Amino acid sequence: MIRPGTPDDAEGVGRVHVETWQAAYAHALPSEQLQALSVEEAVQRHRSRPPALVAERGGEILGFVDVGASRDPGTDGELFAIYVHPGHWGTGVGRALIEAGETELRKLGHQEAILWVLDDNPRARRFYELAGWSPDGAARDIHIFGFDVFEVRYAKSL
């Protein structure tokens, strides 16, 4: 079931966020830093700002998506984050979340959207491309969760 996220989802969302990072970026980022990511810190972040939507089954948070107005000048909406617990990869949860996120962006009045993805994340990039997103040529270096990473931007007409 996809539903709006609440502060009460913070523990499940924080766990999904950290464990997904640890699995998805194991090939690209130092293991010791990934293992040091704090679920407790992620819980606090998500308690103060819950994601737009969560995927839940039997009381367990399987994933989440967050969307809204874009932070990038000259762009419309943005898919800020989408994470599915690695134990549920390939089960359709991600597809349901991205579709729900796109629907939410349309409800918010957005006609186009962007997202940022780690350049060295072939699984996610393939997932976005299968969902109709395309690289738009923008790229950036950022510092997040103690890591310096290179990201590329994707866009989609909604």
Side-chain angles (χ1 to χ4, degrees):
M1 165 176 65
I2 307 288
R3 62 167 177 76
T6 71
D8 292 337
D9 298 320
E11 188 172 319
V13 169
R15 181 184 54 79
V16 166
H17 200 168
V18 168
E19 291 179 12
T20 301
W21 260 73
Q22 291 169 335
Y25 304 132
H27 71 283
L29 300 172
S31 175
E32 60 278 357
Q33 282 183 272
L34 283 172
Q35 294 310 310
L37 290 175
S38 169
V39 171
E40 291 77 24
E41 288 176 16
V43 167
Q44 291 307 312
R45 279 192 308 275
H46 291 294
R47 185 166 285 127
S48 65
R49 191 182 182 293
L53 302 165
V54 297
E56 175 190 22
R57 184 181 312 134
E60 177 187 7
I61 302 296
L62 308 180
F64 66 93
V65 64
D66 202 15
V67 299
S70 177
R71 301 168 288 190
D72 288 14
T75 60
D76 189 9
E78 185 169 350
L79 191 151
F80 300 119
I82 183 169
Y83 290 93
V84 173
H85 190 274
H88 298 282
W89 287 352
T91 65
V93 172
R95 180 176 307 277
L97 279 170
I98 200 164
E99 289 172 359
E102 291 170 2
T103 297
E104 184 67 17
L105 282 163
R106 285 190 289 276
K107 285 181 188 175
L108 294 170
H110 300 292
Q111 297 177 358
E112 296 179 348
I114 62 160
L115 64 81
W116 288 93
V117 60
L118 191 72
D119 182 51
D120 188 11
N121 190 344
R123 181 183 188 93
R125 293 182 71 169
R126 187 171 46 255
F127 170 77
Y128 295 133
E129 290 165 9
L130 287 170
W133 295 75
S134 302
D136 71 359
R140 67 183 181 187
D141 289 306
I142 67 164
H143 186 80
I144 186 170
F145 303 128
F147 298 101
D148 292 314
V149 297
F150 185 69
E151 293 184 314
V152 294
R153 191 171 74 184
Y154 278 57
K156 182 176 182 178
S157 292
L158 301 170

